[in-house]
Amino acid sequence: MTGAAERSLQVAVVLLYLVQLTAGLTCFCQRCINQTCEAKPDGGCWSSVMLINGKQERDSVCLTAYHLTGEINCRGVGRFSKRKCCFTDYCNREPMYITDIPLPEGGWTRLQLVLVTVVPCLLLLFAILIIVFMARGHPWPCRARMQDPEEALDEQTLMSPDKCLKDLIYDMTTSGSGSGLPLLVQRTIARTIVLQESIGKGRFGEVWRGKWRGEDVAVKIFSSRDERSWFREADIYQTIMLRHENILGFIAADNKDNGSWTQLWLVSEYHEHGSLYDYLNRHTITVEGMILLAQSVASGLAHLHMEIIGTQGKPGIAHRDLKSKNVLVKKNGTAVIADLGLAVKHNSTTNTIDIPSNHRVGTKRYMAPEILDETINTRSFESFKQADIYSLGLVFWEVARRCSIRGIHEDFQLPYYDLVPSDPTVEDMRKVVCDMKLRPNVPNQWQSCEALRVMGKLMRECWYANPPARLTALRVKKTVSQVSMATKDVKD
Ligand code: ADP
Ligand code: MG
């Protein structure tokens, strides 16, 4: 080969390598319809096997860089589970097995005899040592096992039947693994849930109340047709640092093949009051109740929108479908933002959002004017946050109407109930919101109560036609907190 030809060959090899590096990986994917998935360049392929009820259940998917950090999903070989990560095309195709050594039938071997006699003696000695140790007043070297959070999490969760949801969520937030449990743990939880009753229907599939170890959980079931939505929502919920008291607590995602079709599950904390829409339909609220609800929705949205910088940082996220049906009410009267299926993440380094957004999504009634008339600048992430704020203003209006003062309140209504039909088209909404520039009515009597007066002012500042003029979620949150403190002071 000539020198020039050799050089061209070398360049071609380097180029091929670079293309491989930047193009990402193709992995075998048991959860995907066409059995393959594309991992991002910094991601990898994953495969696992787990013993469930004596059966070897296998799984293989693509992992994101976040799932690879800390190797939480990659390491581990045990009697009940095995998992690995790898980084070449289809490297996870070969099935893994758990090889359990069967006990020989008949008499005991010498090794077994030694084990049977020596092990109990050692255990006894160990127990005596512990008792002596404690009797001498030594503090117990607590949480020594925490040095390996991965092992502690996985094995304990799989094996110990006394774990409750609170423990799991505690593990999730302290393990340093971001916002989600290891995939195998998620699967184990999902497979031991017993469904009880259907509690809601939305855009995708159905939401059920289920029982896990005696506790209620919510299970959102997607059909295999909506696989992308399931994957997307699970991905958003597992964004690092997303967990917040005013964002629905995610527990697990699982895909269950029942022979003829795949059921896709998303498990979350259950809230018996249901959506804010249901709650306001059924109840009126006090001034304190209104402030609590408004404050928690604003806090949840401020957290969602906020970018946290750093390796354990969180990207800014816009919800894109904020409405009273996508907010849930907790037992203590606060609220959580749910249904993150349409949310988008902001990449501040490249100033892009993570999925293409060239079509109108969300609920027409709650769409901001710039979405209705398609003047929104989809290249700017700020635009999506500003559109969320418009919807927040409408939710505040729904809440404030139900605030009862000396028995006086309005009935529950959806925004624009008096101006558009029950299932409005984009055109119906555009005429009212963009052309006629109408907004929900703020009743005069709200001026006589300080908290309602501030709420009225806040919602007006959320639904300005000019998006940059709207308040930020953080500003709304702070103003509601001030009203909350002022009402407390008056009471004290
Ligand atoms: P979709 O994406 O189909 O709109 P949602 O997540 O919005 O699904 O859920 C639909 C409805 O199910 C909600 O409006 C609410 O009434 C009920 N729901 C959802 N999650 C829960 C939960 N965790 N606890 C109680 N009810 C819930
Ligand atoms: Mg919904």
Side-chain angles (χ1 to χ4, degrees):
M1 206 186 286
T2 66
E6 226 169 76
R7 255 197 309 280
S8 328
L9 191 67
Q10 279 169 357
V11 170
V13 169
V14 170
L15 277 177
L16 203 69
Y17 180 68
L18 278 177
V19 166
Q20 276 247 314
L21 265 185
T22 48
L25 276 178
T26 308
C27 307
F28 180 58
C29 175
Q30 241 169 288
R31 300 183 183 195
C32 311
I33 291 164
N34 61 2
Q35 304 257 291
T36 56
C37 55
E38 295 289 330
K40 296 229 170 85
D42 51 358
C45 305
W46 183 76
S47 92
S48 78
V49 57
M50 179 164 62
L51 269 188
I52 297 177
N53 299 333
K55 262 179 67 189
Q56 308 221 7
E57 296 239 3
R58 298 194 176 77
D59 192 12
S60 31
V61 281
C62 284
L63 285 191
T64 60
Y66 144 66
H67 274 119
L68 291 169
T69 50
E71 294 185 7
I72 192 144
N73 291 302
C74 300
R75 203 176 33 184
V77 175
R79 268 170 56 86
F80 298 96
S81 65
K82 233 186 219 182
R83 50 208 179 277
K84 74 164 188 186
C85 297
C86 53
F87 306 93
T88 51
D89 285 343
Y90 294 108
C91 57
N92 62 339
R93 198 203 291 268
E94 279 298 303
M96 292 203 291
Y97 297 91
I98 295 173
T99 41
D100 222 350
I101 305 153
L103 283 175
E105 283 170 17
W108 285 359
T109 63
R110 192 182 301 178
L111 176 69
Q112 282 172 327
L113 276 173
V114 172
L115 284 178
V116 166
T117 46
V118 172
V119 170
C121 292
L122 282 176
L123 283 177
L124 191 68
L125 193 68
F126 191 54
I128 293 169
L129 277 175
I130 292 173
I131 293 164
V132 172
F133 195 81
M134 291 181 89
R136 287 175 62 187
H138 283 283
W140 184 244
C142 176
R143 292 194 179 268
R145 277 173 61 81
M146 289 306 277
Q147 281 165 341
D148 187 352
E150 140 67 357
E151 192 192 74
L153 239 187
D154 193 15
E155 294 306 316
Q156 276 178 25
T157 316
L158 284 170
M159 314 289 288
S160 79
D162 57 331
K163 281 238 161 175
C164 65
L165 280 174
K166 258 208 184 88
D167 298 339
L168 280 176
I169 287 156
Y170 175 82
D171 287 344
M172 243 190 275
T173 41
T174 53
S175 68
S177 64
S179 277
L181 285 166
L183 301 178
L184 282 180
V185 179
Q186 292 190 26
R187 166 159 286 194
T188 314
I189 295 169
R191 305 238 162 151
T192 40
I193 288 172
V194 182
L195 295 181
Q196 309 284 316
E197 57 173 335
S198 169
I199 52 169
K201 242 182 163 64
R203 232 182 357 240
F204 307 109
E206 228 176 330
V207 182
W208 286 68
R209 179 174 65 82
K211 283 263 179 217
W212 186 74
R213 294 188 174 173
E215 285 180 88
D216 284 322
V217 289
V219 184
K220 185 162 164 179
I221 305 180
F222 298 68
S223 66
S224 28
R225 209 186 36 237
D226 296 320
E227 190 200 15
R228 274 169 170 273
S229 317
W230 166 77
F231 205 87
R232 177 75 192 152
E233 195 163 354
D235 182 52
I236 293 271
Y237 272 117
Q238 294 179 88
T239 307
I240 301 183
M241 302 278 286
L242 180 68
R243 292 197 85 79
H244 186 271
E245 56 185 338
N246 303 117
I247 291 179
L248 178 60
F250 168 83
I251 298 170
D254 184 36
N255 57 332
K256 226 180 198 177
D257 195 339
N258 70 358
S260 34
W261 79 90
T262 313
Q263 266 196 352
L264 305 163
W265 283 25
L266 210 86
V267 184
S268 66
E269 286 172 351
Y270 170 74
H271 299 295
E272 65 185 42
H273 284 311
S275 70
L276 180 62
Y277 170 88
D278 292 331
Y279 187 77
L280 294 175
N281 253 298
R282 285 195 283 251
H283 305 92
T284 59
I285 47 178
T286 60
V287 170
E288 292 78 31
M290 170 182 73
I291 293 172
L292 212 52
L293 286 170
Q295 200 171 12
S296 40
V297 181
S299 298
L301 191 65
H303 182 71
L304 204 61
H305 281 183
M306 179 172 53
E307 180 184 355
I308 303 172
I309 308 210
T311 40
Q312 281 287 305
K314 161 193 169 298
I317 298 174
H319 189 286
R320 300 205 299 165
D321 196 18
L322 193 62
K323 57 177 177 177
S324 52
K325 283 187 181 166
N326 285 342
V327 171
L328 305 171
V329 179
K330 290 207 230 182
K331 240 193 198 136
N332 64 4
T334 63
V336 294
I337 295 179
D339 196 355
L340 299 185
L342 290 177
V344 284
K345 295 190 207 181
H346 182 221
N347 181 336
S348 57
T349 328
T350 55
N351 194 23
T352 50
I353 59 169
D354 65 337
I355 51 161
S357 170
N358 39 20
H359 54 287
R360 265 191 294 235
V361 295
T363 306
K364 296 173 191 97
R365 186 182 293 276
Y366 290 82
M367 274 180 187
E370 64 275 17
I371 300 181
L372 292 168
D373 66 10
E374 294 186 285
T375 55
I376 184 170
N377 174 9
T378 50
R379 281 191 307 277
S380 155
F381 181 66
E382 284 303 307
S383 313
F384 294 103
K385 293 204 279 185
Q386 289 156 356
D388 276 352
I389 296 292
Y390 168 88
S391 317
L392 177 72
L394 299 184
V395 172
F396 273 20
W397 177 85
E398 290 174 70
V399 172
R401 278 177 67 91
R402 300 299 278 153
C403 180
S404 184
I405 296 171
R406 289 180 291 277
I408 300 171
H409 54 262
E410 265 106 344
D411 56 343
F412 177 80
Q413 291 294 353
L414 285 171
Y416 303 108
Y417 72 101
D418 46 352
L419 300 167
V420 296
S422 65
D423 187 15
T425 61
V426 168
E427 203 39 41
D428 294 330
M429 292 308 304
R430 201 188 54 72
K431 270 190 202 133
V432 170
V433 178
C434 305
D435 298 351
M436 298 160 78
K437 298 197 188 316
L438 293 175
R439 294 293 185 271
N441 176 43
V442 174
N444 278 338
Q445 65 267 25
W446 287 6
Q447 300 303 317
S448 55
C449 161
E450 178 56 13
L452 273 173
R453 192 189 61 76
V454 175
M455 285 290 285
K457 183 165 180 283
L458 270 179
M459 54 189 87
R460 281 201 179 105
E461 290 175 336
C462 286
W463 63 45
Y464 285 133
N466 176 25
R470 293 174 201 152
L471 299 174
T472 62
L474 200 59
R475 184 67 258 161
V476 177
K477 174 183 159 178
K478 285 183 180 164
T479 308
V480 182
S481 300
Q482 282 161 5
V483 185
S484 164
M485 275 179 321
T487 8
K488 275 185 196 137
D489 285 349
V490 171
K491 280 207 145 182
D492 295 344

